[in-house]
Amino acid sequence: MTGTLSAAATPVMDRLISRSVEKHRPLSVHFDLTYRCNERCVHCYLDHQDHGELTTAECLKVLEDLARSGTLFLTFSGGEIFLRPDLYEILAAARRLHFDISLKTNALLVTPERAARLGEFGVRRVQISIYSDLPAVHDAITKVPGSLQRTLAAIPILLQYRLQVKLACPLMQENLMAYRGVIALAEKLGIPYILDLTITPMMDGSSGPLAHRASVSSLLPVLRDPALQACKPRPNAQPDGAVNALPPAFGSAVSSGMESPAYNDLPCSAGHNSCYISPYGDVFPCVQLPQAAGNLRREKFDDIWYHAPQLQRLRAIRESQLPICSRCEIRSYCERCPGLALMEGGNLLGAYERACALAEEKARLAGVAVPVSALHRERDTASVPTTPDAEFAFLAADSSSH
Amino acid sequence: MSTPATVFWQKNPALAWREIDDETVIISPHDSVMHELNDTGSFLWKNIDGKKSAAELAVLLVENYEVTPDIALSDTQALLEEMSSRKLVVMVPETAGVSP
């Protein structure tokens, strides 16, 4: 037959990811429309002041460029997206350009009329941040009294308009054990959820939000919960095996990178087939990897995506070549994030304390007798390299044949 | 009454889709099912605009690919029927459609 049509989400998605990685197509883009917000979450990594957001016309131009470049999956987030008065104009343009549209919101401003419009614009999925099923816990994190009640009231409205709703629950000191209530809430509503153990520094690198991060030892009850399978090694856990294949309950509530075994030896999707665009037009590999590759007010998206040195360097990295982590015996328990390695360890290629400590605890709980990460083992023997630039020069040269 | 030959086809406007390197991926927003078209399927998809019948699409196929008119028409009709069953395309009767 001349023209063929195939379906089934996972194989199609894996093929799509493989092709997009191979040819560096920006398949998935996370576009923050504003950093302004009507909540003041204690752990937030954003500066909520408006420092000159892209205008409506500039946003529409970005969307046209992304469509031309092959972006299919588009996530609008913030800040709180409903604070953009031109949100519907932007969504209408995204609809005309045939994007698969997802939104991230706190849902405080959702009304039946707004939900109906989201449906009209073909929004497929809405991810809502929930920190607890208890108002006292949730509202203390958002610093908005009554916010849980308002957010929960929005969910049935969105479902009524056939929008897929997903709960995202970042876990921190203030709500560590609230995950059980959030899971129960999601199951009661019949909707998926994601738990996120990642609390990141501010995008400017300052460490304020980290004061709310739960210590590794305090996470043990969560890691031990058999329902969450937090200590299950990653599927195909081989030295060169799958990456980023997190247990079903866990993942990033922030990044929009897609998880798939198709990434093989890549640390993650950032810069390979996904990227992040700030409200000011800065293009980053990921919201958790704040190294700006260019600005869309000055350059075309394709010029940044295909030619920015920051992205080309990132594409050269292979997990099997990481100076420390490639030698780690408990790699399959690790959820190392390149962005956090840079922000917390100062080295995009390096190991960082938090990931290593978490991997050791997960491996221990899974029955590994003496789990010691390569970072800790080599630090004990003082063999950890300390020259990131030299490490990178080695990788960049070695990867030129890829 | 319209016959199949005079029915025009258009894409379901609710779909998300993108052509990436000669192949097209289509997503149904309500069930999140992904569909994939090969290069000739993508060619037909690009030309499905509410103004062309299966026969007209088949002619375009013949003009751009090495395929006989009979096979082009039968393959085009088969693909349109398959896409219609998956609600990826909808029929537009000639009387109600956009003038070709």
Side-chain angles (χ1 to χ4, degrees):
Chain A
M1 185 171 169
T2 310
T4 63
L5 174 68
S6 56
T10 303
V12 174
M13 181 63 112
D14 284 344
R15 280 196 299 276
L16 184 59
I17 288 174
S18 292
R19 288 206 312 271
S20 60
V21 165
E22 181 188 350
K23 300 192 174 183
H24 302 148
R25 303 293 183 237
L27 182 64
S28 175
V29 172
H30 173 177
F31 189 177
D32 274 354
L33 295 175
T34 181
Y35 286 160
R36 290 172 290 125
C37 195
N38 50 1
E39 291 184 334
R40 285 293 179 271
C41 298
V42 296
H43 64 293
C44 187
Y45 54 88
L46 297 175
D47 169 4
H48 296 303
Q49 294 298 313
D50 179 357
H51 297 286
E53 295 170 1
L54 295 174
T55 64
T56 308
E58 287 173 325
C59 288
L60 301 194
K61 172 72 168 51
V62 170
L63 297 187
E64 288 168 8
D65 286 353
L66 293 176
R68 202 176 303 117
S69 299
T71 299
L72 174 59
F73 302 103
L74 183 61
T75 300
F76 290 116
S77 180
E80 174 47 48
I81 50 170
F82 281 102
L83 294 180
R84 281 283 303 217
D86 56 357
L87 176 64
Y88 300 130
E89 201 172 337
I90 293 168
L91 290 176
R95 172 70 293 187
R96 283 196 302 275
L97 293 164
H98 312 298
F99 289 103
D100 176 74
I101 307 167
S102 298
L103 306 181
K104 293 182 180 181
T105 174
N106 58 37
L108 289 185
L109 297 174
V110 167
T111 63
E113 293 73 24
R114 288 176 173 148
R117 297 208 72 182
L118 299 186
E120 286 170 22
F121 294 129
V123 172
R124 183 165 63 92
R125 189 165 70 177
V126 180
Q127 180 176 300
I128 297 177
S129 303
I130 295 273
Y131 303 102
S132 172
D133 62 329
L134 304 174
V137 177
H138 178 95
D139 295 357
I141 289 174
T142 65
K143 297 185 182 176
V144 176
S147 56
L148 178 64
Q149 184 182 10
R150 290 166 61 191
T151 295
L152 292 181
I155 296 173
I157 296 172
L158 293 164
L159 293 173
Q160 181 187 340
Y161 287 94
R162 299 186 69 190
L163 295 152
Q164 297 174 28
V165 177
K166 182 179 185 179
L167 301 185
C169 180
L171 293 175
M172 64 199 96
Q173 290 175 16
E174 286 84 347
N175 70 336
L176 188 55
M177 299 312 291
Y179 72 90
R180 291 176 182 148
V182 172
I183 292 173
L185 180 63
E187 289 175 347
K188 183 179 170 187
L189 292 164
I191 59 178
Y193 64 90
I194 191 168
L195 307 176
D196 190 352
L197 301 177
T198 306
I199 301 295
T200 69
M202 300 281 285
M203 289 192 74
D204 65 5
S206 55
S207 61
L210 301 187
H212 300 277
R213 176 187 270 176
S215 66
V216 172
S217 60
S218 71
L219 285 172
L220 290 176
V222 182
L223 300 177
R224 284 193 187 112
D225 190 328
L228 300 179
Q229 299 186 353
C231 298
K232 185 180 172 186
R234 294 180 306 189
N236 306 317
Q238 303 295 325
D240 297 320
V243 295
N244 244 359
L246 304 179
F250 290 95
S252 173
V254 178
S255 83
S256 292
M258 299 158 293
E259 291 159 12
S260 165
Y263 291 111
N264 294 317
D265 198 19
L266 305 179
C268 65
S269 66
H272 291 276
N273 65 358
S274 68
C275 70
Y276 166 76
I277 299 172
S278 82
Y280 312 122
D282 293 315
V283 177
F284 298 90
C286 172
V287 66
Q288 288 183 182
L289 210 171
Q291 277 191 326
N295 186 281
L296 293 168
R297 281 181 163 136
R298 298 187 294 272
E299 302 159 85
K300 291 179 181 173
F301 178 81
D302 271 5
D303 289 340
I304 298 171
W305 177 256
Y306 288 109
H307 303 298
Q310 294 90 337
L311 294 174
Q312 291 181 335
R313 283 192 311 176
L314 194 61
R315 288 176 192 141
I317 298 172
R318 296 292 178 274
E319 281 215 321
S320 59
Q321 297 175 318
L322 294 175
I324 300 170
C325 301
S326 62
R327 298 192 291 271
C328 187
E329 294 170 359
I330 56 170
R331 247 177 88 189
S332 60
Y333 296 92
C334 183
E335 289 158 20
R336 176 186 179 278
C337 164
L340 292 178
L342 178 67
M343 283 199 282
E344 298 193 27
N347 182 359
L348 194 64
L349 308 178
Y352 58 103
E353 182 60 38
R354 172 84 173 183
C356 297
L358 262 174
E360 288 172 355
E361 289 302 339
K362 289 167 69 176
R364 183 174 292 112
L365 290 170
V368 176
V370 186
V372 182
S373 67
L375 176 70
H376 293 157
R377 189 179 64 242
E378 296 178 19
R379 185 181 285 164
D380 288 345
T381 56
S383 63
V384 174
T386 56
T387 53
D389 289 341
E391 290 166 7
F392 185 73
F394 154 73
L395 278 175
D398 194 64
S399 62
S400 59
S401 60
H402 287 281
Chain B
M1 185 171 173
S2 296
T3 66
T6 58
V7 164
F8 301 134
W9 294 88
Q10 70 178 27
K11 301 177 184 82
N12 179 343
L15 302 172
W17 57 273
R18 189 71 69 223
E19 183 184 7
I20 303 172
D21 298 317
D22 296 329
E23 295 189 8
T24 299
V25 174
I26 305 166
I27 302 175
S28 312
H30 295 312
D31 56 14
S32 295
V33 172
M34 296 179 70
H35 310 266
E36 190 178 37
L37 291 165
N38 68 2
D39 59 344
T40 47
S42 295
F43 175 82
L44 290 172
W45 178 258
K46 275 189 288 190
N47 285 286
I48 294 171
D49 57 2
K51 302 174 185 177
K52 295 183 186 73
S53 65
E56 289 168 313
L57 290 166
V59 168
L60 290 174
L61 205 55
V62 170
E63 289 172 355
N64 288 275
Y65 291 87
E66 291 184 12
V67 59
T68 65
D70 288 349
I71 292 176
L73 182 58
S74 65
D75 281 4
T76 299
Q77 286 175 327
L79 184 65
L80 288 168
E81 285 168 16
E82 176 67 21
M83 288 199 290
S84 177
S85 72
R86 297 186 193 185
K87 298 181 180 173
L88 304 183
V89 295
V90 292
M91 286 188 288
V92 185
E94 186 179 28
T95 51
V98 183
S99 296

